[in-house]
Amino acid sequence: MIKKILIANRGEIALRISRACKELGIKSVSIHSEADKFSLHRKFADEDICIGASSAKDTYLNIPKIIAAALITGADAIHPGYGFLAENGQFAEICEKNKIKFIGPTRKMIELMGDKAMARKTMIEIGVPVVPGTEGIVDDIATAKKEAKRIKYPVIMKATAGGGGKGMRIAQNEKELEELFPIAQAEAKANFGNPGIYIEKYIEHPHHIEFQILADKFGNAIHLGERDCSIQRRHQKLIEETPSPFMTPQLREKMGEIAVKAVKHINYEGVGTVEFLVDKDRNFYFMEMNTRIQVEHTITEEVTRINLIKKQILAAMGEKLSYKQSDINFMGHAFECRINAEDPYSDFAPSPGKIESLHFPAGLGVRVDSHIYAGYDIPPFYDSLIAKLVVWAYDRDEAIKRMQRCLDEIVIEGIKTTVPFHKQVFKDKRFIAGTFDTHFLNDFKMK
Ligand code: ADP
């Protein structure tokens, strides 16, 4: 049994988790930095504890402080949310050593899937198609050149410990590879503490399609359909939708089956996401697995009506999965717009500061997950996501119209946000036609 959960995160996801706890009758404890003193996430938890000043390193990434907070408040589990320590195997292990249930997979599992080169190897072993690439880490430029020649240009260099769209470099030819390989290594070391780089074929004009997985400790696993996350800027997702306009029923069945086979093979438990790239001919390749809840889980909840955070907590409590694959009914279409405190007219520069006035849209099929309010001062220290605007409707056309309506209704004054960007995308002919891929934003200009 889990009676009290410490939420090792902040912002909208911390709020989202405390809401799930409340509905499950579980007490929640929030942690916050001094800079987050006025954040809503701490107001709605049952208990709340300050763990440091402002930097993430001193607070939301500080394992000893978080464990101490859990022990002091008597929390018997920790939910890591996404980002911060969510895919830190050492943290998962330290929780377990302190007899605190980590709501997520074991250290072994996190490391198996979190290391991208290792995850590739595992998928190859069980026959899952992966992007053509090196078998593991490439240490030196001579090997990199030899491998890139074999894989054929263009190639992409990726940090094995990378994430969040960071740590990737594309080389069109050998000259670029020579130039960029040492830079990629140095960046990987600086950003992720691990210089390991592997090389993949750069798939041109791919679609980013991922499958949501739900699994229990008894070896049962199902998928909850796909999410199309092809609307990206510098490899970072901005808009997600389900179902994907690029998907066919046959492809969904095939990719879903493979995603489930992969998680069953590694005895995965809880929620997770298997990410694929799909090329223009609908060939698909495994890219990576995320062993945590993702920002965009909301759209899957909208079309399945399954509360993923609740299911994640229940799976951690050892509950058997209550559905079979055939029980899952998908209904309608959902979109998510990530509203960031960034200025789309100024190369998406961060725009922290005080929110002078605020109005969120509402109505049938509208959901806003957010921790902001009028008068709230957005601290400059963390992620710029301030709200997730999610709409559901019977079909894609109606969902687009609903999102357009919501984007017109939303008012966030005092700071710059990505709302004007979303408005423009939702009026774009190619987007409306559903004929976009991950390169959609390459030549996109704000009007
Ligand atoms: P992260 O873990 O940092 O999010 P991913 O491996 O999920 O990184 O890749 C993020 C995005 O980068 C993908 O959605 C895709 O747009 C692009 N990308 C990654 N690998 C390739 C590849 N081999 N070819 C083309 N694009 C790629």
Side-chain angles (χ1 to χ4, degrees):
M1 268 307 281
I2 293 176
K3 293 202 184 77
K4 197 190 266 188
I5 295 176
L6 179 131
I7 303 162
N9 215 302
R10 63 179 298 280
E12 71 82 22
I13 192 64
L15 195 54
R16 167 79 188 86
I17 296 163
S18 74
R19 285 174 171 152
C21 289
K22 226 163 243 173
E23 290 182 17
L24 285 169
I26 295 172
K27 295 264 179 261
S28 61
V29 181
S30 71
I31 57 169
H32 70 275
S33 63
E34 279 169 28
D36 267 341
K37 193 168 167 194
F38 298 104
S39 177
L40 213 53
H41 81 265
R42 55 175 294 223
K43 305 239 167 85
F44 290 114
D46 296 300
E47 285 172 63
D48 153 60
I49 192 161
C50 178
I51 60 163
S54 54
S55 76
K57 202 170 124 264
D58 283 341
T59 55
Y60 305 103
L61 285 173
N62 192 302
I63 296 177
K65 282 187 184 171
I66 293 170
I67 297 289
L71 295 174
I72 289 166
T73 54
D76 42 25
I78 291 185
H79 195 306
Y82 55 67
F84 295 123
L85 297 169
E87 286 177 295
N88 183 314
Q90 194 196 2
F91 179 57
E93 189 177 88
I94 293 173
C95 288
E96 300 302 328
K97 281 200 175 136
N98 282 280
K99 303 208 164 29
I100 300 166
K101 176 75 191 160
F102 176 77
I103 302 179
T106 57
R107 175 176 192 164
K108 209 173 127 219
M109 192 69 63
I110 293 174
E111 288 177 353
L112 181 68
M113 285 295 124
D115 185 287
K116 294 188 183 197
M118 184 110 103
R120 272 175 65 83
K121 247 189 189 160
T122 313
M123 292 301 142
I124 294 168
E125 272 164 28
I126 55 173
V128 175
V130 301
V131 184
T134 56
E135 229 183 67
I137 307 295
V138 178
D139 293 315
D140 59 280
I141 185 72
T143 318
K145 274 166 50 179
K146 208 172 87 207
E147 286 290 317
K149 208 169 189 175
R150 177 181 66 82
I151 298 162
K152 292 194 183 73
Y153 289 95
V155 296
I156 181 164
M157 291 159 263
K158 288 190 175 181
T160 192
K166 299 198 181 82
M168 286 179 274
R169 289 285 185 150
I170 299 152
Q172 299 290 343
N173 49 49
E174 192 161 283
K175 190 171 162 278
E176 285 185 10
L177 185 83
E178 267 176 12
E179 204 178 293
L180 297 174
F181 184 76
I183 297 177
Q185 278 185 321
E187 277 177 356
K189 185 157 195 318
N191 289 313
F192 310 107
N194 177 350
I197 294 284
Y198 68 98
I199 301 176
E200 268 178 16
K201 171 88 187 150
Y202 182 66
I203 312 280
E204 292 186 82
H205 292 280
H207 296 249
H208 174 120
I209 299 206
E210 56 184 39
F211 275 77
Q212 176 68 52
I213 293 294
L214 199 53
D216 66 19
K217 67 171 188 186
F218 306 101
N220 302 303
I222 57 168
H223 73 82
L224 299 180
E226 82 278 6
R227 292 185 287 256
D228 191 320
C229 312
S230 301
I231 304 292
Q232 308 178 347
R233 185 181 167 272
R234 301 198 177 144
H235 308 306
Q236 291 179 36
K237 302 164 184 169
L238 283 167
I239 297 171
E240 298 94 350
E241 71 174 297
T242 185
S244 165
F246 189 62
M247 192 53 87
T248 63
Q250 295 80 353
L251 187 60
R252 177 175 300 115
E253 199 178 320
K254 206 160 140 199
M255 288 176 73
E257 231 169 61
I258 284 187
V260 169
K261 182 177 152 192
V263 295
K264 278 192 174 165
H265 174 81
I266 59 170
N267 293 320
Y268 190 76
E269 283 178 47
V271 302
T273 301
V274 184
E275 297 191 335
F276 297 94
L277 285 180
V278 185
D279 71 16
K280 60 179 188 332
D281 302 317
R282 294 195 172 79
N283 297 306
F284 62 89
Y285 307 96
F286 168 82
M287 193 166 42
E288 65 164 347
M289 177 166 180
N290 287 313
T291 57
R292 55 172 166 83
I293 195 76
Q294 283 185 290
V295 175
E296 62 273 23
H297 75 275
T298 53
I299 54 172
T300 300
E301 293 185 326
E302 292 300 313
V303 297
T304 60
R305 310 315 290 175
I306 292 174
N307 187 320
L308 282 167
I309 305 277
K310 279 196 194 173
K311 287 292 165 199
Q312 187 184 23
I313 294 170
L314 292 171
M317 287 164 82
E319 198 184 87
K320 199 167 161 224
L321 196 61
S322 49
Y323 315 100
K324 298 187 296 296
Q325 190 66 53
S326 56
D327 295 329
I328 306 301
N329 290 312
F330 299 97
M331 181 149 91
H333 204 99
F335 282 104
E336 175 182 89
C337 285
R338 298 191 188 199
I339 315 277
N340 296 336
E342 292 170 0
D343 183 359
Y345 292 101
S346 195
D347 206 24
F348 291 79
S351 177
K354 189 166 177 182
I355 295 169
E356 301 294 347
S357 68
L358 179 74
H359 172 75
F360 278 144
L364 179 67
V366 180
R367 163 176 177 184
V368 183
D369 280 20
S370 174
H371 59 290
I372 64 169
Y373 54 89
Y376 175 63
D377 210 335
I378 299 163
F381 308 106
Y382 318 106
D383 193 81
S384 61
L385 181 73
I386 52 170
K388 303 193 302 203
L389 173 56
V390 181
V391 303
W392 176 90
Y394 278 103
D395 59 32
R396 190 168 190 268
D397 281 351
E398 190 188 19
I400 288 175
K401 291 208 176 70
R402 185 161 288 162
M403 186 61 93
Q404 288 169 341
R405 189 263 290 171
C406 289
L407 289 166
D408 283 341
E409 261 178 53
I410 198 166
V411 178
I412 306 173
E413 283 176 347
I415 56 156
K416 300 275 196 294
T417 75
T418 49
V419 169
F421 161 81
H422 291 298
K423 277 188 181 170
Q424 200 174 310
V425 174
F426 274 82
K427 290 202 174 116
D428 186 284
K429 281 201 188 85
R430 259 179 67 212
F431 179 78
I432 292 173
T435 55
F436 54 83
D437 56 48
T438 58
H439 294 211
F440 175 76
L441 293 179
N442 289 3
D443 47 13
F444 188 87
K445 293 230 160 33
M446 289 300 295
K447 281 188 200 135

